[in-house]
Amino acid sequence: MWVDGAIIVGAGPSGLATAACLSAAGIGSSVILEKNSCIGSLWQNRTYDRLRLHIPKQFCELPMSPFPDSFPIYPTRTQFVDYLENYAAHFQIRARFHECVQSAVFDPRLGLWRVRTIRESGEGDRERQAREYVGRWLVVASGENAEPLLPWDLPGLASFRGSVKHSSEFKNGCDYAGKSVLVVGSGNSGMEIALDLVQHNAKPAIVVRSPVHILPREMLGFSTYSVAMKLLKHLPVWLADRLLVSYAIAALGSTARHGIRRPDVGPMEMKVKTGRTPVLDVGTLSKIKAGKIKVRPSLESLSSCSARFSDGQQGDYDAIIFATGYKSNVPQWLKGEVGNSFSADGFPRCGWKGERGLYVAGLSRKGIFGGSKDAQMIAEDISKEYSLVHKLVSTNRAKQQQQQ
């Protein structure tokens, strides 16, 4: 199938933003390939019920479409999904669902991308159809969170008899009332899942393996993220970090006394260098201080019903929830020399623009805001070449008509 516009892999926020920007730039019909059955599948199928945007809505808008005024500062999961669906409808974006990309290769003979997929028709019809899409431009928008990441090499994991889930399978704590639950992972998801478990009368413990920054979600009535962005406009990163951490200690107290060490590197510097986001506290820390959530160091091994930690202590648990994050799946399907534009963990070495018509949206570790910026730059860049190609085609057609 020939694609006049771009071949976009992924129908999450970055893929939708790219499709909308390309359309607004007058670029011919692009194609979005999505392996799942809906747009924003991470938000629709793999997030917990209590989830809200962690930063204010104005930093999570897709291009050319602000959030409704009626939405709160931190929209709920359901509101964000509604926003995505309305965005797709407004810009007439129709993804091709159940299209799982098997390979994407640049064909130097044709000077084009060849993207091969396996399409499954859906529930009740498992017929698999192979397809190939051919076009000038490939946009990788499959996201930082394409596949759940689990520690399969953890000693004793196979022998544990209780419930084992990744955070992508967790919806709420209703089924865990009265149970001892170990949450492995201390990012925003792990912290909020532990809080949800307490609120459903479970007995959670959370594994905090590495130092982590915990900041209040708001500072002096303003969102911490907004304050951080304003500080970074006028101050060096190290000074902005010092102010943020000083305020956090004053507002939340020392987290070290509760088993949570702060990194030596500041929260904004860490975000820029590693992509690791500080935890924005929504009430978990108070439960930790009250003893409702136990903090445990690194998990070393499991047995049939217990866990052993790096400090030598053990505990019995009915269930384990791994809030150990996700990974990119780009190395699995981006083939050939161009695949070297990505590291082994699936992140681009080339930024938003690679070689031979390769583009990347939403893999800059800058969240939805970063993906939207990528989309705008991609559309602007492709539109230059698109206009040139079509001008040449029109010129050649005119010459042929004159000769006839």
Side-chain angles (χ1 to χ4, degrees):
M1 176 179 173
W2 168 253
V3 179
D4 188 45
I7 303 170
I8 303 169
V9 181
S14 298
L16 298 178
T18 303
C21 289
L22 289 171
S23 178
I27 296 166
S29 300
S30 297
V31 166
I32 300 183
L33 305 176
E34 171 56 52
K35 66 179 180 178
N36 294 293
S37 61
C38 59
I39 63 171
S41 61
L42 174 69
W43 288 86
Q44 297 214 46
N45 300 330
R46 292 186 287 165
T47 50
Y48 42 92
D49 294 343
R50 68 174 292 122
L51 179 64
R52 287 177 173 266
L53 293 180
H54 291 117
I55 60 179
K57 61 184 179 181
Q58 64 264 31
F59 296 103
C60 301
E61 294 173 349
L62 300 189
M64 302 172 288
S65 183
F67 280 92
D69 292 337
S70 60
F71 278 25
I73 295 175
Y74 305 99
T76 66
R77 164 185 168 271
T78 302
Q79 288 172 325
F80 187 66
V81 169
D82 289 343
Y83 171 76
L84 293 181
E85 291 181 336
N86 290 332
Y87 188 86
H90 177 75
F91 291 102
Q92 298 182 337
I93 300 170
R94 295 179 179 85
R96 292 176 175 262
F97 298 120
H98 302 291
E99 293 268 4
C100 184
V101 174
Q102 304 297 297
S103 66
V105 180
F106 183 80
D107 189 332
R109 296 172 303 164
L110 300 174
L112 301 170
W113 284 93
R114 303 173 67 135
V115 180
R116 294 176 180 172
T117 69
I118 292 291
R119 185 178 191 279
E120 294 185 348
S121 299
E123 294 296 329
D125 183 359
R126 310 312 295 174
E127 182 181 356
R128 295 164 64 89
Q129 301 173 348
R131 297 187 177 185
E132 184 176 71
Y133 298 85
V134 180
R136 298 185 189 92
W137 304 287
L138 173 68
V139 180
V140 176
S142 48
E144 302 173 7
N145 303 319
E147 295 184 2
L149 187 60
L150 281 162
W152 297 112
D153 58 348
L154 178 65
L157 178 59
S159 66
F160 185 74
R161 296 177 183 174
S163 169
V164 175
K165 288 184 176 181
H166 186 266
S167 58
S168 60
E169 302 174 276
F170 178 86
K171 294 301 179 185
N172 56 62
C174 290
D175 295 334
Y176 297 91
K179 296 181 179 180
S180 295
V181 185
L182 182 64
V183 180
V184 182
S186 55
N188 280 294
S189 294
M191 289 290 186
E192 288 196 31
I193 287 171
L195 177 61
D196 195 77
L197 289 166
V198 168
Q199 293 174 343
H200 285 87
N201 298 314
K203 295 173 285 184
I206 187 167
V207 171
V208 182
R209 184 181 65 177
S210 305
V212 59
H213 280 295
I214 299 181
L215 306 177
R217 189 168 68 172
E218 296 189 343
M219 298 175 61
L220 303 174
F222 299 94
S223 80
T224 298
Y225 185 84
S226 300
V227 172
M229 292 301 100
K230 289 179 181 178
L231 289 175
L232 290 174
K233 284 184 178 180
H234 305 286
L235 300 174
V237 175
W238 69 267
L239 182 53
D241 276 339
R242 182 169 295 181
L243 292 173
L244 290 172
V245 172
S246 296
Y247 183 88
I249 293 173
L252 303 176
S254 171
T255 58
R257 69 179 62 180
H258 303 289
I260 305 172
R261 294 175 293 122
R262 288 191 181 274
D264 294 330
V265 178
M268 293 297 103
E269 183 180 354
M270 178 173 286
K271 175 65 176 175
V272 171
K273 289 184 175 179
T274 69
R276 188 176 178 186
T277 302
V279 171
L280 296 175
D281 182 54
V282 293
T284 306
L285 190 57
S286 66
K287 299 299 182 183
I288 291 173
K289 292 177 179 178
K292 299 290 185 180
I293 300 172
K294 306 296 183 183
V295 174
R296 297 287 181 250
S298 298
L299 176 61
E300 290 202 335
S301 64
L302 297 171
S303 61
S304 60
C305 61
S306 66
R308 184 176 182 84
F309 303 98
S310 59
D311 60 358
Q313 295 189 44
Q314 283 191 215
D316 292 337
Y317 297 97
D318 302 300
I320 299 175
I321 298 170
F322 285 102
T324 42
Y326 297 82
K327 63 179 180 179
S328 164
N329 65 3
V330 178
Q332 298 174 21
W333 52 267
L334 186 61
K335 307 296 183 182
E337 292 183 5
V338 180
N340 295 328
S341 300
F342 282 75
S343 62
D345 62 356
F347 285 87
R349 297 188 177 101
C350 58
W352 63 272
K353 182 181 180 181
E355 298 178 350
R356 301 177 179 178
L358 174 68
Y359 295 91
V360 186
L363 280 167
S364 60
R365 303 181 194 263
K366 295 180 181 178
I368 298 169
F369 178 80
S372 294
K373 290 296 183 184
D374 292 340
Q376 292 170 315
M377 291 187 291
I378 290 168
E380 182 179 352
D381 201 66
I382 290 179
S383 66
K384 297 175 184 176
E385 186 178 347
Y386 184 84
S387 298
L388 179 61
V389 168
H390 279 258
K391 184 177 180 180
L392 290 173
V393 170
S394 298
T395 301
N396 289 335
R397 285 178 180 173
K399 287 181 179 179
Q400 291 174 357
Q401 290 174 355
Q402 289 176 358
Q403 291 173 356
Q404 292 174 356

